[in-house]
Amino acid sequence: VDIIEDRVTGRTIRPTVEAVTAAIHGLVADRSLAATLGESARRRVVENFDYPVFHRKWAALFSSLGL
């Protein structure tokens, strides 16, 4: 699972000053979008990368491998 899904949990942009500047300006101009992206990103991290979830997934993997 990718952490950032463009326009769902954040923005994926080219690593240039212009692209970063435009993305930041866009989020400042649209506070609702910024809040929605932040909420979605937090939910994705908790559901997929939180320690208990991560631990269960790894434990299941090792168990399936007989380890």
Side-chain angles (χ1 to χ4, degrees):
V1 173
D2 291 329
I3 293 175
I4 299 174
E5 184 178 349
D6 195 33
R7 298 187 184 273
V8 176
T9 57
R11 294 297 318 273
T12 55
I13 56 172
R14 294 180 325 280
T16 65
V17 171
E18 295 80 14
V20 172
T21 302
I24 291 171
H25 282 236
L27 292 173
V28 169
D30 189 345
R31 295 302 212 157
S32 177
L33 174 62
T36 299
L37 294 178
E39 291 164 7
S40 295
R42 183 182 190 292
R43 187 171 36 258
R44 178 169 291 192
V45 168
V46 168
E47 290 173 357
N48 294 287
F49 302 103
D50 191 50
Y51 181 77
V53 173
F54 191 72
H55 182 266
R56 275 193 303 277
K57 288 180 180 182
W58 276 99
L61 172 64
F62 286 126
S63 179
S64 73
L65 297 172
L67 301 174

